[in-house]
Amino acid sequence: MDISIYPLPADKMKQKISDESQLGFGKHFTDRMLVVEWKPEAGWHNGRIEPYAPFSLDPSCMVLHYSQEIFEGLKAYKWADGRVALFRPEMNARRFNQSADRICMPELPEEIFLKGIEQLVSLEKDWVPSAPGTSLYIRPAMIAVEAGLGVKPSSHYYFFVILSPVGAYYSGGFKPTGIMVEDKYVRAVPGGTGEAKTGGNYASSIKAALEAKQKGYDQVLWLDGCHKRYVEEVGSMNMFFVYGSKIVTAELNGSILSGITRDTVCTIAPTLGCDVEERQIDIEELMADIRSGKVTEAFGSGTAAVITPVGKLCYRNEVVEFGNGEVGEVTQKLYDTLTGIQTGKIRDEFGWIRFVS
Ligand SMILES: *Cc1c(COP(=O)(O)O)cnc(C)c1O
């Protein structure tokens, strides 16, 4: 399938943000977007890169009522030599199709996902910021656009990709965040959609996040939906707990999102002398291990913020702290190594980098 490139009229070109410290996250979008359509009789067709603009959707269309939607998130980095690098994009392509399968959407050939993103990023290269910590965030998504209120798989979909230059996630420096363990609401249950990257999972999480904010915490740590006893993940990050020279994360059990950053951390850690353990984590045992000092650090992993150090954790009104407001040694080492590989400062011996021509 060829992707047509439509002209970009001068009046559709936007002003670039010259002060890269003001970028923030997901606030600005580039000049162009990629759109590809699917219909049963035509398969994937009408692929085009066109000026960034609103969609015209029928108010009855299925995504607006029943959330038949999936998305991905990855980043492009500007290297010191001017090249633009994608980080493990084939993992996003694969996961996109796993999500599509769960939400009954058509499979998207990985080649369309990867080539489409490469072409779009290549055209929008000048939008990739270069200040330390900045990147071009890439948001692929698929939505059900058939008009009608019957609940069934749609017969018309848009796959689209938009790009957003984003700032260093930590504008105030790499600072530990506060997390509240959620023991009222749940995010996912076995057999549910927790493993799919779908908007509905986020819609149901907003209330818990808001209540945690009101109590002074940045994000919630979800427990399993059956027993509210086993640690799952945070908002849009997987969680790691550092036991000296070992890092522990929840095993993938079907209701946890299988993070690419999580996989990356699990691969890098042993090369830095850190053992990795993927297992069920009982919150009571975890709290006891934090109290007794066995757990020395905690951090989250996800594309948006890469590695987020956790400074304090609150569970049922008990607050435990890590370090003394400082970032732990293991967390820092993993952050430096991961961001080093992504930006070309550390050699990529894993074959994770894919350059955009
Ligand atoms: C995207 C996401 C993550 C992190 O995945 P990465 O591939 O590392 O970005 C973790 N949890 C949830 C719920 C997510 O949606």
Side-chain angles (χ1 to χ4, degrees):
M1 195 205 68
D2 277 335
I3 293 172
S4 311
I5 296 169
Y6 293 2
L8 178 69
D11 66 334
K12 288 276 167 62
M13 286 178 73
K14 301 171 189 166
Q15 194 77 38
K16 293 196 178 60
I17 316 306
S18 50
D19 182 356
E20 292 184 350
S21 69
Q22 296 303 309
L23 283 171
F25 185 82
K27 293 194 293 193
H28 309 282
F29 296 93
T30 72
D31 294 326
R32 297 172 174 93
M33 61 184 188
L34 167 71
V35 185
V36 189
E37 297 184 47
W38 186 92
K39 283 188 173 174
E41 62 281 10
W44 288 105
H45 68 288
N46 195 14
R48 74 248 184 205
I49 291 175
E50 60 186 23
Y52 186 100
F55 289 128
S56 172
L57 295 175
D58 192 289
S60 75
C61 86
M62 292 174 173
V63 64
L64 299 180
H65 301 270
Y66 309 125
S67 305
Q68 206 191 357
E69 186 268 358
I70 58 169
F71 67 97
E72 269 302 326
L74 64 158
K75 282 175 168 177
Y77 301 87
K78 176 81 97 319
W79 283 22
D81 62 9
R83 284 186 296 177
V84 172
L86 300 174
F87 186 72
R88 310 189 76 185
E90 60 290 336
M91 295 286 281
N92 298 92
R94 194 180 313 159
R95 189 171 63 188
F96 195 64
N97 279 326
Q98 287 161 357
S99 300
D101 179 62
R102 179 63 183 84
I103 311 297
C104 280
M105 300 175 113
E107 179 175 347
L108 177 75
E110 290 187 9
E111 167 136 332
I112 297 182
F113 184 98
L114 295 170
K115 289 260 166 66
I117 286 174
E118 276 175 29
Q119 271 191 49
L120 179 65
V121 173
S122 177
L123 283 165
E124 300 289 67
K125 241 182 194 165
D126 291 346
W127 282 93
V128 187
S130 55
T134 64
S135 58
L136 185 71
Y137 184 76
I138 303 167
R139 168 54 60 87
M142 193 192 324
I143 55 174
V145 297
E146 181 186 339
L149 297 180
V151 180
K152 62 180 180 71
S154 170
S155 62
H156 189 188
Y157 295 92
Y158 289 170
F159 164 63
F160 64 95
V161 181
I162 54 176
L163 307 175
S164 173
V166 297
Y169 209 80
Y170 308 99
S171 46
F174 189 49
K175 269 199 231 117
T177 162
I179 285 185
M180 209 185 83
V181 181
E182 178 58 60
D183 65 352
K184 182 162 83 177
Y185 304 111
V186 297
R187 171 186 176 272
V189 291
T193 57
E195 209 175 19
K197 222 168 164 72
T198 180
N201 290 339
Y202 281 79
S204 61
S205 77
I206 294 173
K207 196 172 174 69
L210 202 70
E211 290 182 12
K213 278 229 163 72
Q214 284 160 355
K215 290 180 184 141
Y217 291 85
D218 302 302
Q219 306 206 49
V220 304
L221 172 59
W222 299 105
L223 299 177
D224 75 282
C226 287
H227 315 91
K228 292 189 191 154
R229 174 169 170 195
Y230 302 107
V231 169
E232 298 231 310
E233 59 179 309
V234 171
S236 56
M237 298 189 297
N238 296 108
M239 271 302 296
F240 286 85
F241 300 94
V242 181
Y243 284 73
S245 67
K246 181 174 73 183
I247 58 174
V248 177
T249 191
E251 66 191 351
L252 299 176
N253 60 359
S255 57
I256 294 176
L257 200 288
S258 170
I260 295 163
T261 319
R262 174 188 183 278
D263 181 81
T264 303
V265 166
C266 290
T267 308
I268 288 178
T271 71
L272 301 173
C274 252
D275 291 332
V276 179
E277 201 171 280
E278 298 178 46
R279 63 165 165 88
Q280 205 172 45
I281 302 171
D282 184 315
I283 184 68
E284 297 288 354
E285 279 174 36
L286 178 72
M287 291 299 286
D289 288 347
I290 296 170
R291 266 180 237 123
S292 72
K294 272 197 217 163
V295 177
T296 44
E297 304 169 33
F299 64 88
S301 73
T303 297
V306 193
I307 301 265
T308 301
V310 174
K312 63 174 178 172
L313 195 69
C314 173
Y315 178 55
R316 296 195 170 150
N317 296 325
E318 180 185 357
V319 181
V320 287
E321 302 199 19
F322 301 92
N324 36 13
E326 315 255 291
V327 179
E329 191 187 332
V330 174
T331 305
Q332 185 74 49
K333 207 158 61 174
L334 285 163
Y335 177 83
D336 292 342
T337 307
L338 177 46
T339 55
I341 294 171
Q342 289 169 332
T343 56
K345 288 176 195 78
I346 295 177
R347 204 171 66 85
D348 166 29
E349 46 188 286
F350 304 95
W352 285 336
I353 297 294
R354 193 167 162 138
F355 292 107
V356 171
S357 53

